[in-house]
Amino acid sequence: MTSIALNYFTASLLTAITTFVLAVFVLSIDPRSKLYRTFFLYTISISLWSFPFAFIAIVKDKNTALILGHAFNIGVTFISTGFVHFVCILLNIKNRGRLIRACYVISFFFLLLVPTKYMVLGVVPKFGLNYFINPGIAYYPFVLFWGTCIVYGLYKLFRGYLVSTGMRRNQLKYLFFGSLLGYIGGPANFLLFLVLNFQCFPLEVMPVLLS
C-alpha cells in the first residue's frame, strides 16, 4: 500500500467512524427533536460516503473498486441536502419547506443515477491509488447542485452568526468555521477528479451518449 493510499484510507475511515458515533450520540439525546433527527441523517450521509471511500483507496480488484465507487456516491448524494435541511431548521428559516423538498427531489433523482454509467463510467488508476472513479456525464450537474447547496448553507450559517449574540453566536461561529474547514477538505476529493477529467470530458461521455 502506498503512503497516499494509506492516508486516504486512514482519514476516510476515521471520518466514517467519528461521524457515525456523533450521529448516534446526538440522536440519543432527544430522538423526538426534529433538529437532532435532521442532524443524524446529515452526519450519517457523511459516514456512508466516507466508509466505502476509505476502502476504494486500498482494494486491488477492479470490480470491487467499481462497486465501492458507486457506493460512496450514495452518501454524497444526500450530504448537501442534509446540510441545507439541518441549517434551515437550526436557524428557523421561514418558508423553508419548498426549498428542502426541492433539494430532496433532486437528490433522489441523482440517487437513481448512482448505479448507472451516467454517474460512474468506470474505475482507473489515479492519484497514486490502484483505482478511482471516472465520472459520468451526470456527475457534472450533480456537483453543481451539490456545491450550490453547500454554499447556501454556509452563507446562511455565516449570516446567522453575524446577527446572533451570546452563546448562540459562539455556537454558530464554531459550526460555521468547522463546516467550512470540512467542506474545504474532504469533499474536495471528488471535485479534484472532476477537474482532472475536464479536458477529456468529450471522450468520457461519448460512450454514454451513443449507448
Side-chain angles (χ1 to χ4, degrees):
M1 185 189 303
T2 66
S3 59
I4 295 176
L6 181 60
N7 287 338
Y8 264 89
F9 174 76
T10 304
S12 299
L13 187 61
L14 183 61
T15 299
I17 294 171
T18 53
T19 51
F20 178 80
V21 171
L22 179 62
V24 173
F25 171 74
V26 169
L27 185 65
S28 68
I29 297 173
D30 185 2
R32 295 172 296 180
S33 167
K34 183 180 292 187
L35 178 64
Y36 290 171
R37 291 200 306 268
T38 305
F39 182 80
F40 171 81
L41 294 174
Y42 165 52
T43 47
I44 281 294
S45 296
I46 299 175
S47 184
L48 289 175
W49 160 65
S50 301
F51 189 75
F53 193 83
F55 287 93
I56 198 174
I58 62 172
V59 296
K60 297 182 179 180
D61 177 69
K62 187 173 183 178
N63 290 332
T64 303
L66 182 59
I67 292 171
L68 291 170
H70 287 297
F72 81 68
N73 281 296
I74 296 173
V76 169
T77 303
F78 287 97
I79 289 175
S80 57
T81 292
F83 183 56
V84 169
H85 194 175
F86 170 68
V87 169
C88 284
I89 292 179
L90 177 67
L91 300 179
N92 195 27
I93 296 176
K94 296 181 179 179
N95 302 318
R96 63 180 185 247
R98 289 184 179 179
L99 171 64
I100 294 172
R101 285 193 293 271
C103 287
Y104 275 108
V105 168
I106 296 172
S107 288
F108 273 108
F109 169 75
F110 284 114
L111 178 66
L112 294 176
L113 297 179
V114 163
T116 73
K117 56 189 173 182
Y118 293 101
M119 286 291 277
V120 179
L121 282 174
V123 290
V124 294
K126 283 186 183 183
F127 314 144
L129 308 177
N130 291 325
Y131 293 107
F132 208 74
I133 74 168
N134 266 347
I137 189 173
Y139 223 99
Y140 297 85
F142 167 67
V143 169
L144 178 61
F145 162 71
W146 196 95
T148 301
C149 288
I150 298 304
V151 170
Y152 172 82
L154 289 172
Y155 169 74
K156 288 296 185 179
L157 273 180
F158 186 68
R159 287 293 302 270
Y161 158 70
L162 291 179
V163 300
S164 60
T165 58
M167 186 178 297
R168 175 73 166 177
R169 183 179 176 88
N170 262 343
Q171 178 192 45
L172 294 179
K173 178 179 72 174
Y174 290 124
L175 182 58
F176 169 76
F177 285 107
S179 299
L180 180 62
L181 288 175
Y183 286 119
I184 289 174
N189 288 295
F190 68 83
L191 293 176
L192 178 62
F193 65 69
L194 286 182
V195 172
L196 293 180
N197 277 278
F198 184 74
Q199 290 184 339
C200 59
F201 175 77
L203 296 179
E204 295 280 355
V205 303
M206 283 302 293
V208 177
L209 296 178
L210 295 176
S211 61

